Structure formats: C-alpha cells, structure tokens
Amino acid sequence: MGGPLTSRDGQVRLRPVKVAEDVATAVAWYRDPVVLWGSEGSTEPFTPERVARMYEVLAARGEVYIVEVQGPDGFIAVGDAALSSVGVPIVIGEASWRGRGIGRQVLALLIARAQALGLPELVAHQIYADNRASLRLYEGAGFRVVSGGEEGGRPFFRLRLPLEGPESADAGSAPALL
Ligand SMILES: CC(C)(COP(=O)(O)OP(=O)(O)OC[C@H]1O[C@@H](n2cnc3c(N)ncnc32)[C@H](O)[C@@H]1OP(=O)(O)O)[C@@H](O)C(=O)NCCC(=O)NCCS
C-alpha cells in the first residue's frame, strides 16, 4: 500500500483507510439507502462491524482509500474507494458531494495508480443497470460492458478497462490483487 493519491488540482485526495478510525465516519454512508441500493443492492443498514469487515475484505485483495475533498479547514472525508480484484468500487457517501465531479476524479486517480502498478486491466464486476451515475462514471473513463447478469431480478453489468502498462517507474511493487 502506498501513500495518499492526490488530484492535480489538490482538491481530491485518496488516503489509505485506517479501519479502526474511519469506521465511525463511514458507517453513516452505509446507512444511506442511496448508497446501499446503488452499491450493495439492498437497503439493510450496515453495522460498524460490517463496514470494518468490508474494508478488511477489500484490503486483503488490494488497496482501500477514504475519499477526501479540500474544505475550508483542510481535507474532509466524503466517501471511500478501492482498487481490488473484486472491483473498483467508489462511494461518495456524503450526498451533498455527489454529482460534483468527485467520482470522476477518484476513478482517474485509481486508474493512474493501477497503471503505475502495471496492472493489465481493471474490472468493475457488478454495476447495476439502473445506476445511471455509476454507469456514466465508468463508461466515461473508458470502461466497456463485457458481460451482464442478474441479482434478485435486478440486472447488472460487468465492465472492463484494459490498461496500457506502467506510466511511472517508481510505483513500487504491485499490491496483492488476488
Ligand atoms: C456513483 C457515484 C460514485 C458517482 O460519483 P459522483 O461524484 O456523484 O459522480 P460525478 O459527479 O463524478 O459524475 C460522473 C458521471 O455521472 C453522471 N451523473 C452524476 N450523477 C448522476 C445522476 N444522479 N444521474 C445520472 N448521471 C449522473 C455525471 O453527469 C457524470 O457523467 P458525465 O461525465 O458523462 O457528465 C456516486 O454518485 C455515489 O457514490 N452514488 C451512491 C453509491 C453508488 O451507487 N456507488 C457506485 C457503486 S459501484
């Protein structure tokens, strides 16, 4: 796991998650029906333990970040994102920060990180067909639908982005993406 990833303009930062400290903030995001329905396909609120377990599962398969944006008094946490073998999930948990281009910047940072690590591709395994913001986000970054499926009668797509190889030589070793 490397350090924080920061957008060129310095307004958006992906900071490696600190599970024990970040769960208290993140649990509010996973009580929002929009987040739960968009990312989990259910509206059952998460407990703090479930949020911690989710971060630990993702961290075991890649890298997990807290999405931060520059506020008047420094960075504030607004969501989370991961670069993992089980997908490239992004959640802007604070509703007031959705639809303002943060997700697009987060995905660009994750793609650059994956390229720097020399990963051959990124796959978004389960994007619900009715999640227009999510589909636009991934397709806008160049991901293309490669297959589809259905969960509980709700269609989803699997999208893939082939990558070009390392952009920088100082990326360090690749994370354990299983
Ligand atoms: C999906 C999500 C990550 C997108 O991040 P965001 O910061 O809100 O999105 P952005 O402002 O960067 O916009 C990305 C694209 O989606 C479009 N978009 C944003 N909100 C939208 C909405 N409510 N309906 C339709 N399109 C929308 C934007 O216009 C943009 O497309 P464009 O570049 O073609 O104009 C965020 O809205 C979110 O966390 N939603 C709830 C949880 C979720 O569904 N996560 C995804 C699970 S994989």
Side-chain angles (χ1 to χ4, degrees):
M1 186 90 187
L5 311 173
T6 308
S7 64
R8 259 182 236 282
D9 64 4
Q11 295 301 301
V12 178
R13 179 168 83 172
L14 300 186
R15 166 183 58 76
V17 72
K18 293 178 226 154
V19 177
E21 292 166 38
D22 290 321
V23 160
T25 305
V27 75
W29 306 333
Y30 290 92
R31 288 184 177 155
D32 177 344
V34 173
V35 168
L36 291 166
W37 186 243
S39 67
E40 307 300 321
S42 122
T43 50
E44 168 102 34
F46 278 24
T47 60
E49 294 72 28
R50 176 125 188 240
V51 175
R53 203 161 59 242
M54 172 182 73
Y55 286 153
E56 278 152 12
V57 166
L58 287 167
R61 291 166 170 77
E63 301 183 339
V64 187
Y65 296 97
I66 295 298
V67 176
E68 297 180 327
V69 295
Q70 188 68 256
D73 303 313
F75 280 106
I76 48 175
V78 301
D80 59 30
L83 188 61
S84 90
S85 60
V86 287
V88 198
I90 298 173
V91 161
I92 305 302
E94 301 292 336
S96 62
W97 285 97
R98 287 183 210 132
R100 294 168 64 175
I102 308 295
R104 205 180 315 122
Q105 293 197 65
V106 170
L107 188 54
L109 286 169
L110 293 175
I111 291 169
R113 171 73 176 152
Q115 277 173 328
L117 290 167
L119 301 184
E121 63 175 14
L122 284 177
V123 178
H125 285 273
Q126 192 159 320
I127 304 298
Y128 293 108
D130 56 60
N131 192 340
R132 306 316 297 172
S134 194
L135 272 177
R136 281 188 78 99
L137 173 67
Y138 289 93
E139 290 190 324
F143 282 74
R144 293 294 171 256
V145 172
V146 287
S147 59
E150 216 184 76
E151 192 187 53
R154 192 177 176 204
F156 64 81
F157 296 122
R158 181 166 178 265
L159 294 93
R160 175 175 173 271
L161 177 73
L163 297 174
E164 298 261 314
E167 266 189 348
S168 100
D170 62 354
S173 56
L177 295 183
L178 304 178

